[in-house]
Amino acid sequence: MGEALLIASERLADFVTAIFIAARTRPDFARETAEHLVAANLKGHDSHGVGMVPNYVDAIANGHLAHDAEAEVLEDRGAILRVDGGFGFGQVVGRQATDLAIERARDTGVVTLGLRNAHHLGRIGTYGERCAQAGYVSLHFVNVTGHDPVVSPFAGREARLLTNPFCCAVPRDGERPVLLDMATSAIALGKVRVAYMKEEAVAGDALLDDDGRPTTEARYLYEEPKGSIRPFGLHKGYGLGLVCELLAGALAGERTIQPKHPRPNAIINHMLMIVLDPDLFGGSATFATEVEAMADYLRGTPAAEGHDRVRLPGDPEAESMERRLAQGIPIDDNSWADILAAAGRAGLSDDEIDALTSAGRAG
């Protein structure tokens, strides 16, 4: 593979917005989704960035993504909210649900919100960051349904789960939040997709082939015969992935990955979100002081061999964002070709695509 293209983030967001508008999306929803995807790229999570655009365009065309749907409150019990996303853009209905929880937390101090039937929510850390910016701690349990499983349970050789993200955000006074945002699989499926598009090996022992043997070949997730992704941390990641499946899927969404439910090759997310005001527990000032003391204590650890320093969860994303804002977002040739093809399927002409992309190269 040749060197990746470097695309300026603002021009990339403009291009993706135009693609979604061409696919009959409301302009404000198109822009919000595009900016969410580009922000994921900026923060180093290419798995949840603009490489998803072809999937979204196809999902609109086949009816799996209701491009103008908004979040609807199904049940309101004060500190308990049930919300349906109507299979709308996850980036839109996920933000709307998060804002509902934040607004309610101002009155109740703690809120549990179940969001069901969202199309792909994208980078879950986005919603955690939004809660932290408002001064709240948040927990997010997410499951994935609608297509075949790709993650094998610990000690199993066949896929039974999907990558089921977990996120926790902790606010800090005047600083970036502590943000733990991770797939419960050894690697996010999107990262395997990126490796597949780049024709690169997947490092480590994250993947199993169709015989249940470790492999570094991404094709086992995209070509027959299919393999699977291991859970992270052996039984620990498997256990947390199952918890996400049960809390987000069985509880919030009333739909898990078990085969009784249809799998139309769609991306459907359910999320159980808990948002709480740290002032409920001894006062936010004490909490903030302890958070900063722990941050200083951890960062003061001498670096181990092969590392330059200790980082907090969320630091790598901030470093990536600073670098990519200056240098541009790298996109491999195969992914870029897929995005251009999706733009055509959405309804943009070749001249429109050229006009939107010709000045977007960062270098």
Side-chain angles (χ1 to χ4, degrees):
M1 295 295 293
E3 292 185 5
L5 299 171
L6 289 174
I7 312 295
S9 58
E10 290 186 6
R11 292 303 299 265
L12 187 57
D14 289 344
F15 180 38
V16 173
T17 300
I19 293 173
F20 291 144
I21 290 174
R24 299 175 292 112
T25 302
R26 272 175 46 175
D28 54 337
F29 287 4
R31 187 70 191 184
E32 181 170 7
T33 303
E35 289 182 348
H36 181 124
L37 294 172
V38 170
N41 286 111
L42 285 172
K43 295 186 178 185
H45 294 284
D46 296 329
S47 57
H48 290 66
V50 298
M52 294 300 299
V53 168
N55 302 70
Y56 291 8
V57 168
D58 291 342
I60 291 171
N62 61 32
H64 294 155
L65 169 52
H67 49 87
D68 286 345
E70 299 191 60
E72 177 187 0
V73 176
L74 299 177
E75 191 170 6
D76 184 344
R77 297 186 181 182
I80 305 294
L81 291 165
R82 293 178 61 235
V83 177
D84 195 291
F87 304 101
F89 277 106
Q91 290 81 357
V92 173
V93 299
R95 187 267 307 161
Q96 291 174 335
T98 301
D99 286 352
L100 286 170
I102 290 170
E103 185 62 33
R104 184 57 54 84
R106 295 190 175 105
D107 296 326
T108 62
V110 61
V111 172
T112 301
L113 184 147
L115 172 64
R116 61 190 295 170
N117 297 332
H119 191 260
H120 186 236
L121 284 165
R123 177 177 166 266
I124 305 304
T126 301
Y127 313 112
E129 288 168 345
R130 197 169 184 88
C131 293
Q133 288 165 2
Y136 299 123
V137 174
S138 65
L139 295 167
H140 308 256
F141 302 88
V142 181
N143 86 318
V144 191
T145 67
H147 63 85
D148 291 339
V150 298
V151 179
S152 54
F154 175 67
R157 57 184 287 181
E158 292 183 352
R160 290 291 185 272
L161 293 167
L162 282 154
T163 52
N164 291 2
F166 169 77
C167 176
C168 177
V170 177
R172 297 171 61 203
D173 283 350
E175 300 286 346
R176 295 189 302 271
V178 176
L179 184 73
L180 177 63
D181 177 20
M182 64 183 199
T184 52
S185 51
I187 187 172
L189 177 59
K191 294 185 186 299
V192 183
R193 186 196 75 242
V194 171
Y196 182 68
M197 299 301 284
K198 290 182 175 180
E199 301 176 7
E200 293 179 351
V202 176
D205 58 355
L207 304 184
L208 299 176
D209 67 15
D210 57 306
D211 287 323
R213 298 173 299 194
T215 181
T216 61
E217 296 184 54
R219 66 182 176 87
Y220 281 104
L221 271 294
Y222 293 95
E223 301 174 15
E224 297 292 344
K226 293 288 185 71
S228 64
I229 307 174
R230 284 176 161 169
F232 91 89
L234 305 176
H235 59 286
K236 298 178 182 180
Y238 162 53
L240 183 56
L242 176 58
V243 166
C244 288
E245 189 71 36
L246 300 180
L247 295 184
L251 185 62
E254 299 180 303
R255 178 178 174 184
T256 65
I257 192 62
Q258 57 96 353
K260 172 184 174 182
H261 300 293
R263 296 172 179 169
N265 198 29
I267 307 174
I268 302 167
N269 285 154
H270 309 304
M271 176 166 62
L272 185 74
M273 174 172 29
I274 301 169
V275 180
L276 62 91
D277 185 347
D279 206 39
L280 295 173
F281 295 86
S284 56
T286 300
F287 176 70
T289 298
E290 285 298 313
V291 170
E292 292 313 302
M294 273 306 304
D296 292 342
Y297 184 48
L298 291 167
R299 285 173 166 165
T301 308
E305 184 177 356
H307 299 272
D308 59 343
R309 63 185 178 89
V310 171
R311 289 168 171 80
L312 298 179
D315 286 349
E317 287 83 353
E319 294 169 6
S320 173
M321 187 166 186
E322 181 178 3
R323 182 174 60 253
R324 289 185 170 191
L325 278 172
Q327 300 176 0
I329 293 172
I331 302 179
D332 66 88
D333 291 342
N334 287 335
S335 294
W336 186 241
D338 276 1
I339 293 169
L340 295 177
R345 294 197 301 276
L348 290 176
S349 69
D350 290 344
D351 287 344
E352 289 172 322
I353 292 171
D354 288 343
L356 287 161
T357 60
S358 61
R361 305 291 177 86

